Coordinates of all heavy atoms in Angstrom, one line a residue:
S1 N 28.3 84.9 81.4 CA 29.3 85.2 80.5 C 29.5 84.3 79.3 O 30.2 84.5 78.3 CB 30.7 85.3 81.1 OG 31.0 84.1 81.7
L2 N 28.6 83.2 79.4 CA 28.7 82.1 78.4 C 27.5 82.0 77.4 O 27.4 81.2 76.6 CB 29.0 80.7 79.0 CG 30.3 80.6 79.7 CD1 30.4 79.2 80.4 CD2 31.5 80.6 78.6
G3 N 26.5 82.9 77.7 CA 25.3 82.8 76.9 C 24.0 82.9 77.6 O 22.9 82.9 76.9
G4 N 24.0 83.1 78.9 CA 22.8 83.4 79.6 C 21.7 82.2 79.5 O 22.1 81.0 79.7
S5 N 20.5 82.5 79.2 CA 19.5 81.5 79.1 C 19.7 80.4 78.1 O 19.4 79.3 78.3 CB 18.1 82.2 78.9 OG 18.2 82.8 77.5
Q6 N 20.3 80.8 77.0 CA 20.7 79.8 75.9 C 21.7 78.8 76.4 O 21.7 77.7 76.1 CB 21.1 80.5 74.6 CG 20.1 81.2 73.9 CD 20.5 81.7 72.6 OE1 21.3 82.7 72.6 NE2 20.0 81.3 71.4
Y7 N 22.6 79.4 77.2 CA 23.7 78.4 77.8 C 23.1 77.5 78.8 O 23.5 76.4 78.9 CB 24.8 79.3 78.5 CG 25.8 78.4 79.1 CD1 26.7 77.7 78.3 CD2 25.9 78.2 80.6 CE1 27.6 76.8 78.9 CE2 26.8 77.5 81.2 CZ 27.7 76.7 80.3 OH 28.6 75.9 81.0
R8 N 22.0 78.0 79.6 CA 21.4 77.1 80.5 C 20.7 75.9 79.8 O 20.7 74.8 80.4 CB 20.4 77.9 81.4 CG 21.2 78.8 82.4 CD 20.2 79.3 83.4 NE 19.4 80.3 82.9 CZ 19.6 81.6 82.9 NH1 20.8 82.1 83.3 NH2 18.7 82.4 82.5
E9 N 20.2 76.2 78.6 CA 19.6 75.0 77.9 C 20.6 74.1 77.4 O 20.5 72.9 77.4 CB 18.8 75.6 76.7 CG 17.4 76.2 77.1 CD 16.3 75.8 76.1 OE1 16.6 75.4 75.0 OE2 15.1 75.8 76.7
F10 N 21.8 74.6 76.9 CA 22.9 73.9 76.5 C 23.5 73.0 77.6 O 23.9 71.9 77.4 CB 24.0 74.8 75.8 CG 25.2 74.1 75.5 CD1 25.4 73.6 74.3 CD2 26.3 74.2 76.3 CE1 26.6 72.9 73.9 CE2 27.5 73.5 76.0 CZ 27.6 73.0 74.8
L11 N 23.5 73.6 78.8 CA 24.2 73.1 79.9 C 23.6 71.8 80.5 O 24.3 70.9 80.8 CB 24.3 74.1 81.0 CG 24.8 73.6 82.4 CD1 26.2 73.3 82.4 CD2 24.5 74.7 83.5
L12 N 22.3 71.7 80.5 CA 21.6 70.7 81.3 C 21.9 69.2 80.8 O 22.2 68.3 81.6 CB 20.1 70.8 81.3 CG 19.6 71.5 82.6 CD1 19.7 70.5 83.8 CD2 20.3 72.8 82.9
A13 N 22.0 69.0 79.5 CA 22.4 67.7 79.0 C 23.7 67.3 79.4 O 24.0 66.1 79.7 CB 22.2 67.7 77.5
G14 N 24.6 68.3 79.5 CA 26.0 68.0 79.9 C 26.0 67.6 81.4 O 26.7 66.7 81.8
I15 N 25.2 68.3 82.2 CA 25.2 68.1 83.6 C 24.6 66.7 83.8 O 25.0 65.9 84.7 CB 24.2 69.1 84.4 CG1 24.9 70.4 84.3 CG2 23.9 68.6 85.8 CD1 26.1 70.5 85.2
F16 N 23.6 66.3 83.0 CA 23.0 64.8 83.1 C 24.1 63.9 82.9 O 24.2 63.0 83.6 CB 21.9 64.7 82.1 CG 20.6 65.5 82.3 CD1 19.8 65.8 81.3 CD2 20.3 66.1 83.5 CE1 18.6 66.5 81.4 CE2 19.2 66.8 83.8 CZ 18.4 67.1 82.7
A17 N 24.8 64.1 81.8 CA 25.9 63.0 81.4 C 26.9 63.0 82.5 O 27.4 62.0 82.9 CB 26.5 63.4 80.1
Q18 N 27.4 64.3 83.0 CA 28.4 64.2 84.0 C 28.0 63.6 85.3 O 28.7 62.8 85.9 CB 28.8 65.7 84.3 CG 30.0 65.8 85.3 CD 29.8 66.9 86.3 OE1 28.7 67.2 86.7 NE2 30.9 67.6 86.6
T19 N 26.7 63.8 85.7 CA 26.2 63.3 87.0 C 26.1 61.8 87.0 O 26.6 61.1 87.9 CB 24.9 63.9 87.3 OG1 24.9 65.3 87.4 CG2 24.3 63.3 88.6
V20 N 25.6 61.2 85.9 CA 25.5 59.8 85.9 C 26.9 59.2 85.9 O 27.1 57.9 86.3 CB 24.6 59.2 84.8 CG1 23.1 59.8 85.0 CG2 25.2 59.6 83.4
A21 N 27.9 59.9 85.3 CA 29.3 59.3 85.2 C 29.8 59.4 86.7 O 30.4 58.4 87.1 CB 30.1 60.2 84.2
F22 N 29.6 60.5 87.4 CA 30.1 60.6 88.7 C 29.4 59.7 89.6 O 30.0 59.2 90.7 CB 29.9 62.1 89.2 CG 31.0 63.0 88.9 CD1 31.6 63.1 87.7 CD2 31.4 63.9 89.8 CE1 32.7 63.9 87.3 CE2 32.6 64.7 89.6 CZ 33.1 64.8 88.3
N23 N 28.2 59.3 89.4 CA 27.5 58.3 90.2 C 28.1 56.9 90.2 O 27.8 56.1 91.0 CB 26.0 58.3 89.9 CG 25.3 59.5 90.5 OD1 25.8 60.3 91.3 ND2 24.1 59.7 90.1
A24 N 29.0 56.7 89.3 CA 29.7 55.4 89.2 C 30.6 55.3 90.5 O 30.8 54.2 90.9 CB 30.7 55.4 88.0
A25 N 31.1 56.4 91.1 CA 31.8 56.4 92.3 C 30.9 55.9 93.4 O 31.4 55.3 94.4 CB 32.3 57.8 92.7
F26 N 29.6 56.1 93.3 CA 28.7 55.5 94.3 C 28.7 54.0 94.3 O 28.7 53.4 95.4 CB 27.2 56.0 94.0 CG 26.2 55.9 95.0 CD1 26.2 56.8 96.0 CD2 25.2 54.9 95.0 CE1 25.2 56.6 97.1 CE2 24.3 54.7 95.9 CZ 24.2 55.6 97.1
T27 N 28.7 53.4 93.1 CA 28.9 52.0 93.0 C 30.2 51.5 93.5 O 30.3 50.5 94.2 CB 28.7 51.6 91.6 OG1 27.6 52.1 90.9 CG2 28.7 50.0 91.4
T28 N 31.3 52.2 93.2 CA 32.6 51.9 93.6 C 32.7 51.8 95.2 O 33.1 50.7 95.7 CB 33.7 52.9 93.1 OG1 33.6 53.0 91.7 CG2 35.1 52.6 93.6
V29 N 32.3 52.8 95.9 CA 32.4 52.9 97.3 C 31.4 51.8 97.9 O 31.9 51.2 98.9 CB 32.1 54.3 97.8 CG1 32.0 54.4 99.4 CG2 33.1 55.3 97.3
G30 N 30.3 51.7 97.4 CA 29.4 50.7 98.0 C 29.8 49.3 97.9 O 29.7 48.6 98.8
L31 N 30.4 49.0 96.7 CA 30.8 47.6 96.5 C 32.2 47.3 97.4 O 32.3 46.3 97.9 CB 31.0 47.3 95.1 CG 31.2 45.8 94.7 CD1 30.0 45.0 95.1 CD2 31.4 45.7 93.2
A32 N 33.0 48.3 97.4 CA 34.2 48.2 98.2 C 33.8 48.1 99.6 O 34.5 47.3 100.4 CB 35.1 49.4 98.0
G33 N 32.8 48.8 100.1 CA 32.4 48.7 101.5 C 31.9 47.3 101.8 O 32.2 46.7 102.8
D34 N 31.0 46.7 100.9 CA 30.5 45.3 101.1 C 31.6 44.4 101.1 O 31.6 43.4 101.9 CB 29.5 45.1 99.9 CG 28.2 45.8 100.1 OD1 28.0 46.3 101.1 OD2 27.5 45.8 99.0
L35 N 32.7 44.6 100.3 CA 33.8 43.7 100.2 C 34.5 43.6 101.5 O 34.9 42.6 102.1 CB 34.7 44.1 99.0 CG 35.9 43.2 98.9 CD1 35.6 41.7 98.6 CD2 36.7 43.8 97.7
H36 N 34.9 44.9 102.1 CA 35.7 44.9 103.2 C 35.0 44.7 104.5 O 35.7 44.6 105.5 CB 36.5 46.1 103.2 CG 37.5 46.2 102.0 ND1 38.6 45.4 101.8 CD2 37.4 47.0 100.8 CE1 39.2 45.7 100.7 NE2 38.5 46.6 100.0
Q37 N 33.7 44.8 104.5 CA 32.8 44.5 105.7 C 32.5 43.1 105.8 O 31.8 42.7 106.8 CB 31.7 45.4 105.7 CG 31.9 46.9 105.9 CD 30.8 47.8 105.6 OE1 29.6 47.2 105.6 NE2 30.9 49.0 105.6
G38 N 32.9 42.2 104.8 CA 32.6 40.8 104.9 C 31.2 40.4 104.2 O 30.9 39.2 104.2
I39 N 30.5 41.4 103.8 CA 29.2 41.1 103.1 C 29.3 40.3 101.9 O 28.5 39.3 101.7 CB 28.4 42.4 102.9 CG1 28.1 43.1 104.2 CG2 27.1 42.1 102.2 CD1 27.5 44.4 104.0
I40 N 30.4 40.6 101.1 CA 30.5 39.8 99.9 C 30.9 38.3 100.2 O 30.4 37.3 99.6 CB 31.7 40.3 99.0 CG1 31.3 41.7 98.5 CG2 32.1 39.4 97.9 CD1 30.2 41.7 97.5
D41 N 31.6 38.1 101.3 CA 32.0 36.8 101.8 C 30.7 36.0 102.2 O 30.5 34.8 101.9 CB 32.9 36.8 103.0 CG 34.3 37.2 102.6 OD1 34.7 37.0 101.3 OD2 35.0 37.8 103.4
R42 N 29.8 36.7 102.8 CA 28.5 36.0 103.3 C 27.7 35.7 102.0 O 27.1 34.6 101.9 CB 27.7 36.9 104.2 CG 28.4 37.0 105.6 CD 27.5 37.6 106.6 NE 27.2 39.0 106.4 CZ 27.9 39.9 107.0 NH1 29.0 39.7 107.7 NH2 27.6 41.2 106.8
M43 N 27.6 36.6 101.1 CA 26.9 36.3 99.8 C 27.5 35.1 99.1 O 26.9 34.4 98.4 CB 26.8 37.5 99.0 CG 26.0 38.7 99.5 SD 25.9 40.1 98.3 CE 24.8 41.2 99.1

């Protein structure tokens, strides 16, 4: 309903930007886990 094949070409760059932004949560959880498991203290 938004443009078919032309919309899919338009979409992908937005998906790229959104995904790498969402992957910041990967860093957040990983570092919080290291912190509360004592790994940061050992480092």
Side-chain angles (χ1 to χ4, degrees):
S1 61
L2 291 173
S5 60
Q6 287 183 298
Y7 177 72
R8 289 194 286 273
E9 285 223 337
F10 173 86
L11 171 68
L12 260 292
I15 294 287
F16 293 160
Q18 184 222 34
T19 298
V20 299
F22 270 46
N23 283 351
F26 196 75
T27 309
T28 300
V29 174
L31 197 55
D34 287 348
L35 177 63
H36 296 288
Q37 291 169 12
I39 294 173
I40 295 294
D41 289 336
R42 289 196 289 272
M43 289 182 177

